Structure formats: C-alpha cells, structure tokens
Amino acid sequence: MDTANNTFPALQFPASELSAFAVTMGVFTISLKNGKLVQFKPHNVQTFYEWLIAHGVRDIKEDERAKEKPPDNTKSGGWKALFKYKHKNKNHE
C-alpha cells in the first residue's frame, strides 16, 4: 500500500478520487467523485477495507446502519409526544 500517493495496489484510482463504497462477497463497488461506479476485488478484503476507512472513504453500509437506529425519544417527549400528536389529529378530523 502506497500511503504517500494515496494509492492501493491494482486499483487505478487514488483515494482522493473515491467517494463511497459498499462491499458484497469480497467485491467492492466504489463510487467515484465524478459520479461513476467501479468494481474492485482486492486480494485481501480486510486490508483494502482498512485502507478505504483510513483515507476517509465513506462506507455506505455503515451509513445505513446509522439510519436504522431507533430515534432518541428522550428529546422529543417520548411516548407522551406520540400520544399528543395522535390526539391532535383526532380532534382535527
């Protein structure tokens, strides 16, 4: 791995051109900053994954996992806020 030039062996794009990625069965689908998609199958999946993360390339699956987290109801009033919302809607029907 050539970290000085932000390149990875056999990958024809430097890290600075990579936007985001997803990996399935050892094949990386990489979104380039110019909007194109490329696929890359490294010899060592873990090493390549770590290289991407070290260079700030966004893992799309991590973004999806973050979106799946339940909302923090402590800031919105919890279940009581849901009841108030439903109650208001019933009065306006």
Side-chain angles (χ1 to χ4, degrees):
M1 177 180 350
D2 182 358
T3 55
N5 292 321
N6 294 323
T7 60
F8 191 87
L11 181 65
Q12 61 185 347
F13 304 97
S16 59
E17 291 183 27
L18 311 180
S19 176
F21 72 93
V23 60
T24 304
M25 298 179 66
V27 177
F28 287 78
T29 301
I30 304 167
S31 171
L32 302 178
K33 290 182 179 177
N34 67 9
K36 293 183 181 181
L37 293 176
V38 296
Q39 291 191 326
F40 181 67
K41 186 170 183 173
H43 291 293
N44 187 312
V45 172
Q46 186 64 35
T47 300
F48 184 59
Y49 177 86
E50 291 169 1
W51 179 84
L52 290 167
I53 296 302
H55 286 85
V57 182
R58 187 170 46 94
D59 181 350
I60 293 170
K61 294 201 177 192
E62 286 297 320
D63 289 352
E64 289 174 3
R65 283 186 213 116
K67 289 179 187 174
E68 292 174 359
K69 290 181 182 176
D72 183 0
N73 288 333
T74 60
K75 295 179 183 173
S76 64
W79 65 270
K80 293 179 183 179
L82 293 174
F83 177 75
K84 288 179 185 177
Y85 177 74
K86 287 181 181 180
H87 184 69
K88 284 183 182 179
N89 284 343
K90 287 182 180 179
N91 288 339
H92 293 303
E93 290 179 0

